Amino acid sequence: MRRARIAVLVSGGGTNLQALLDAQESGALQSGEIVLVLSDRPGAYALTRAAAAGIETAVTPDEAALQRLLEARGIELIVLAGYLHILSAAFVARYPNRILNIHPSLIPSFCGRGCYGLHVHEAALRRGVKVTGATVHFVNEIPDGGEILLQKAVAVQPGDTPETLQKRVMREAEWVILPAATEAVAKRILEEERHEHL
Ligand code: GRF
């Protein structure tokens, strides 16, 4: 069966990439195939995870080189999994409703410029929220501003540090909704293609 060609863009440890790889292995992600993992920095452990899964990897900080590689590999769906480079409006405009991002809060809380990674959980703890979570959304030209696809709530525990909260949000929310959203969008891409050929 044909599967949508997926590229995953990473910058860090790659636990969200690992969740996608595990979903591919288990069949939870079946409408899409991860064919490329690309980082903007060479040291990302996510690249090691990709190589261990036999997936092509590339490293470039340059958006034009990124664009050429995505076109050369016929990429149909881009998943930002801890990717820290802010894509330009011109780049994003080429992939309407084809770029997904995972953000570690319930957007619109704790998002926007400079609010990424641990900073998000520091802000949530500073504000004293009792519930936080994660969001998967389409990427448009506004940071964290695109259509929300999935969200999952996570309780803040007494005594949480940014690190303990980050781990729980990853385990209970991010690693669940990112594979689910990726499968749903990949499935939609295949369905749209079938309708075009009817
Ligand atoms: C996660 O906190 C994710 O929510 C955010 O960046 C971090 C990436 O972690 N987008 P990993 O590289 O997937 O482990």
Side-chain angles (χ1 to χ4, degrees), residues 37-158:
V37 172
L38 192 136
S39 180
D40 57 341
R41 56 199 73 188
Y45 186 67
L47 294 166
T48 306
R49 295 178 188 271
I55 293 171
E56 181 186 3
T57 62
V59 178
T60 177
D62 173 52
E63 206 174 86
L66 166 64
Q67 177 72 41
R68 281 194 301 275
L69 197 51
L70 293 171
E71 281 169 7
R73 295 292 181 278
I75 298 301
E76 299 166 282
L77 178 55
I78 299 167
V79 180
L80 308 187
Y83 189 62
L84 294 179
H85 170 76
I86 301 292
L87 295 166
S88 69
F91 181 103
V92 167
R94 286 191 198 93
Y95 291 94
N97 296 333
R98 294 295 177 91
I99 306 176
L100 295 179
N101 183 52
I102 176 81
H103 182 78
S105 74
L106 297 175
I107 288 176
S109 298
F110 312 119
C111 65
R113 282 214 181 282
C115 218
Y116 60 88
L118 221 44
H119 301 308
V120 174
H121 305 292
E122 288 162 356
L125 290 173
R126 217 174 16 253
R127 183 64 188 82
V129 295
K130 302 306 174 193
V131 174
T132 185
T135 303
V136 178
H137 62 95
F138 278 130
V139 172
N140 64 13
E141 64 290 348
I142 303 156
D144 300 325
E147 176 192 349
I148 290 174
L149 292 171
L150 283 180
Q151 292 189 305
K152 192 164 190 303
V154 173
V156 179
Q157 306 287 359

Side-chain angles (χ1 to χ4, degrees), residues 159-191:
D160 258 334
T161 64
E163 291 75 9
T164 60
L165 183 54
Q166 178 179 53
K167 243 315 157 254
R168 188 176 320 112
V169 168
M170 280 177 161
R171 195 177 55 249
E172 295 183 6
E174 296 179 39
W175 301 342
V176 174
I177 62 175
L178 187 58
T182 303
E183 167 58 22
V185 175
K187 193 159 180 260
R188 194 189 303 174
I189 289 170
L190 298 182
E191 284 164 357

